[in-house]
Amino acid sequence: MAFDGNHGAPWRRLAVVIYLPTAVSFIGFGAIIPLVPLTARALGASVPEAALVVALMGIGNLVGALPAGVIADRFGEKKSLVGALCVDILCLLTCAFAPNTWVLAGAVFVTGLSGAMLSLARQSYLTVAVGLEYRARALSTLGGVFRIGSLLGPLMGAAVVSVWGLQAAYLVAAGTSLLAATVTLALPDLPMPEHQPDEPVQMLRVLRQHARTFATAGTGAAALMLVRTARDALLPLWCEQIGLDAAATSLVFALSSAIDMTLFYVGGSVMDRFGRRWVSVPSMVIMGLCFALLPFAHSVAAVALFAAVLGLGNGISAGVVMTIGSDASPAVGRPQFLAGWRLTTGLGQAAGPLLITAIAAVAPLGAAAVTIGAVGLVGAGWLWRWVSEPAIPDH
């Protein structure tokens, strides 16, 4: 199936070959992520060891960012996607039949590597395949698909485990990756670049050429990722601190996630029509204020209100980090640039829980919330200063 070169509204035709396999594979991964620590414990790991096994997936995602750019440039986005999904299948089967914690840990780490490849290749593909006037909506929809998979995956995992046990969940996830790989084979081939470089593009050269972009817009995007991930850690901890039980905490978080999941297309439409700042900056202001004021929430109703507004701020920003990165990416060396972009923003994502942990170790939890709020507000100003708006064609 060849790419037809039509960059307009027909980007929605990519729904079956991009969004469907993404949703299917993310549902599979969403099903097994909560089960990894349980599997590690069943294999004899201590609680700290089980936590480390879980962390290896995120570590693998960071470690794999730059190699993913090299692989995508060498083999192309379509082959990279199919290859990464095949690696996932092997890793999930290994998890299902892991004889000990070491084997499980290795498989989990490699899934992080392949996850970096999948994320980069999808972003790079859509950057080329979709016209600039529809780019934000296409990438926001991709971000929304991630959220849907993350929500539905644990529900599917719970259903599978309750009937067939832990091992079956990994087998089902391997099946979803197989289905995703099969559908991805139908992905249209991208057109060849008009100007082919005379020699292979070097990763370090691309990173050096665009170091200023990573240090400016990339830092702002990393701050956005930091504030986003803080919600997952801070909200449950604050619920626990004010005395809410696990059921009430789950409902509060579900409310936030539900609002989050429904707004991705709205954010993409605003970005395409008015510019990237009109989503990235309000998103940071909304989340920053919520975190700064969270210490004043001492009831279920108050926490639920803050959770809902956090969901609003996070939901409208779905895909904005990918969109800003795609806007800044060069025609030559795009996969390498996006690899550096994903590494920069991934460091921000990893820093959120670490910052909360460090502050909570020496100060009240409220101080951590206020600090995250300050990062959000300062980050909003930083994004307004450094995010460049592309010249989007009039509709």
Side-chain angles (χ1 to χ4, degrees):
M1 182 177 181
F3 185 75
D4 64 9
N6 190 338
H7 284 198
W11 70 267
R12 295 183 183 87
R13 295 174 188 167
L14 296 172
V16 173
V17 285
I18 278 284
Y19 299 126
L20 176 60
T22 300
V24 168
S25 63
F26 258 78
I27 288 172
F29 269 101
I32 63 99
I33 286 174
L35 306 179
V36 169
L38 302 180
T39 306
R41 292 285 287 154
L43 291 172
S46 65
V47 171
E49 288 170 343
L52 176 60
V53 171
V54 175
L56 284 172
M57 186 176 293
I59 294 170
N61 204 274
L62 278 177
V63 172
L66 296 184
V70 175
I71 294 170
D73 183 62
R74 173 68 179 83
F75 297 101
E77 287 80 1
K78 178 178 176 179
K79 290 180 180 177
S80 298
L81 284 170
V82 175
L85 287 166
C86 290
V87 170
D88 281 342
I89 295 168
L90 295 176
C91 288
L92 290 166
L93 292 175
T94 302
C95 289
F97 299 102
N100 55 57
T101 307
W102 290 105
V103 173
L104 176 69
V108 169
F109 177 74
V110 177
T111 60
L113 298 177
S114 62
M117 182 76 260
L118 290 169
S119 297
L120 183 139
R122 287 175 180 130
Q123 180 184 3
S124 182
Y125 186 94
L126 286 174
T127 300
V128 177
V130 179
L132 179 60
E133 65 270 32
Y134 295 97
R135 176 179 290 165
R137 271 169 283 187
L139 290 172
S140 292
T141 301
L142 184 62
V145 169
F146 293 159
R147 286 161 162 76
I148 292 170
S150 297
L151 179 66
L152 297 181
L155 298 177
M156 183 186 78
V160 171
V161 169
S162 65
V163 178
W164 293 292
L166 273 175
Q167 190 180 62
Y170 293 100
L171 298 178
V172 170
T176 61
S177 290
L178 177 60
L179 176 59
T182 303
V183 176
T184 302
L185 289 172
L187 197 66
D189 294 311
L190 290 173
M192 296 297 292
E194 293 181 7
H195 303 289
Q196 291 279 17
D198 296 330
E199 57 186 34
V201 179
Q202 299 296 320
M203 172 68 74
L204 290 179
R205 182 181 302 172
V206 173
L207 297 181
R208 283 197 300 266
Q209 288 174 344
H210 299 278
R212 178 177 171 83
T213 301
F214 297 134
T216 53
T219 297
L224 176 53
M225 294 298 290
L226 186 155
V227 173
R228 276 180 175 173
T229 56
R231 179 186 66 160
D232 296 345
L234 263 178
L235 200 54
L237 289 174
W238 188 257
C239 288
E240 191 261 346
Q241 178 158 311
I242 65 172
L244 301 188
D245 59 21
T249 299
S250 296
L251 288 175
V252 167
F253 205 85
L255 170 65
S256 186
S257 298
I259 294 174
D260 182 343
M261 194 177 66
T262 59
L263 293 172
F264 59 87
Y265 193 81
V266 174
S269 296
V270 171
M271 281 191 280
D272 276 336
R273 286 175 169 81
F274 302 106
R276 301 359 180 179
R277 290 192 188 103
W278 293 99
V279 164
S280 59
V281 174
S283 170
M284 286 287 265
V285 170
I286 290 169
M287 291 190 289
L289 287 174
C290 278
F291 282 122
L293 297 174
L294 187 61
F296 297 99
H298 295 285
S299 67
V300 176
V303 173
L305 175 62
F306 279 111
V309 179
L310 279 171
L312 167 66
N314 197 38
I316 61 172
S317 70
V320 68
V321 170
M322 289 188 289
T323 302
I324 295 170
S326 292
D327 289 342
S329 63
V332 176
R334 177 174 284 113
Q336 291 89 340
F337 174 89
L338 292 178
W341 181 262
R342 297 195 71 86
L343 178 61
T344 303
T345 57
L347 290 171
Q349 183 175 7
L354 294 177
L355 179 60
I356 293 168
T357 301
I359 296 173
V362 297
L365 188 61
V370 172
T371 301
I372 297 297
V375 171
L377 295 175
V378 172
W382 188 273
L383 285 166
W384 182 266
R385 168 65 181 83
W386 292 111
V387 169
S388 299
E389 298 288 8
I392 300 174
D394 294 331
H395 296 282

